[in-house]
Amino acid sequence: QQQVKQSPQSLIVQKGGISIINCAYENTAFDYFPWYQQFPGKGPALLIAIRPDVSEKKEGRFTISFNKSAKQFSLHIMDSQPGDSATYFCAASSPGNTPLVFGKGTRLSVIA
Amino acid sequence: DTGVSQNPRHKITKRGQNVTFRCDPISEHNRLYWYRQTLGQGPEFLTYFQNEAQLEKSRLLSDRFSAERPKGSFSTLEIQRTEQGDSAMYLCASSLLENTIYFGEGSWLTVV
């Protein structure tokens, strides 16, 4: 049973375009939703995170949109750059910082 | 560098041999996590410690796997009688209780 479903599996975006990655969850106890970025051969690095008390969080070119009623959240990368090409993972955890549950990842390729 | 440190970074072993991975968390982080990641998949939770206490173990952690965190500092993950299905990247992460989880670069295991 996959607790966090991520889509699409892969994404190709033109340089300067908007990359959108979606995640859906089932466990209503989840209260922390981070996105991680992973380059080949490296460990995941935290990109941005949100808690359910807000519907949107923006940090630079990265924005998380959160829809509590739909149990969905998404990552938007504005003005996508070739350096953004990586695999992105959404994740979720319950109160008390229980271990993160990850989605299966989205491989993003930004082409010039 | 004060990030999460993992050793060795790569390990090739013959089926049936034992292997041990070490993780040094960020200084003063009291939570330490082990995850496993295979190609094209998100990290899967294995186990975690709060200080020296092992608080949770995933069903993925078979009897051949054992993790320790003596004195609440570094941690080791041992895999006994390795199988080809154990080939994966083993990720260590640490956090300060309910704060951000930081991952190391991972330890790649190849069982031949």
Side-chain angles (χ1 to χ4, degrees):
Chain A
Q1 180 187 3
Q2 192 180 351
Q3 296 195 56
V4 181
K5 291 184 180 179
Q6 184 172 345
S7 64
Q9 222 173 347
S10 62
L11 183 61
I12 300 174
V13 173
Q14 292 276 352
K15 179 182 174 183
I18 302 173
S19 304
I20 302 174
I21 305 170
N22 302 298
C23 275
Y25 63 96
E26 297 168 3
N27 187 346
T28 55
F30 287 151
D31 72 340
Y32 176 67
F33 303 90
W35 284 90
Y36 280 80
Q37 179 189 57
Q38 186 175 33
F39 292 104
K42 302 290 187 182
L46 178 69
L47 198 58
I48 187 172
I50 197 168
R51 294 196 181 268
D53 51 342
V54 295
S55 60
E56 186 175 283
K57 183 174 181 180
K58 184 176 180 179
E59 288 183 3
R61 296 185 295 110
F62 302 93
T63 300
I64 299 181
S65 296
F66 183 79
N67 185 330
K68 189 174 182 178
S69 61
K71 294 187 286 186
Q72 293 176 348
F73 58 109
S74 59
L75 175 70
H76 296 235
I77 306 174
M78 313 299 287
D79 187 26
S80 300
Q81 299 296 313
D84 296 330
S85 298
T87 301
Y88 292 82
F89 294 96
C90 61
S93 68
S94 303
N97 210 27
T98 57
L100 289 170
V101 176
F102 282 83
K104 290 195 171 185
T106 297
R107 179 178 284 186
L108 171 66
S109 298
V110 181
I111 56 176
Chain B
D1 182 40
T2 56
V4 178
S5 175
Q6 292 189 243
N7 289 288
R9 291 294 317 281
H10 299 90
K11 178 75 176 178
I12 299 174
T13 191
K14 291 184 179 179
R15 191 175 48 161
Q17 297 293 304
N18 299 344
V19 296
T20 300
F21 298 111
R22 175 178 170 128
C23 173
D24 288 90
I26 295 171
S27 180
E28 299 180 358
H29 277 194
N30 45 19
R31 286 203 176 177
L32 186 148
Y33 307 80
W34 285 100
Y35 282 79
R36 179 171 68 189
Q37 187 178 23
T38 53
L39 281 174
Q41 299 294 316
E44 296 174 300
F45 168 72
L46 293 178
T47 187
Y48 87 102
F49 295 83
Q50 182 163 311
N51 300 314
E52 65 273 14
Q54 189 171 18
L55 295 189
E56 189 175 338
K57 290 195 290 187
S58 162
R59 276 172 277 183
L60 291 174
L61 212 65
S62 77
D63 291 345
R64 297 184 296 104
F65 287 69
S66 63
E68 294 182 343
R69 193 184 182 196
K71 302 179 184 177
S73 55
F74 71 92
S75 175
T76 57
L77 177 69
E78 182 184 18
I79 308 173
Q80 296 182 325
R81 305 181 303 282
T82 52
E83 301 172 356
Q84 286 189 321
D86 296 333
S87 296
M89 180 163 70
Y90 290 85
L91 287 162
C92 178
S94 71
S95 72
L96 259 178
L97 279 181
E98 300 196 24
N99 292 320
T100 303
I101 293 174
Y102 295 91
F103 282 86
E105 299 279 81
S107 292
W108 284 98
L109 173 64
T110 302
V111 181
V112 297

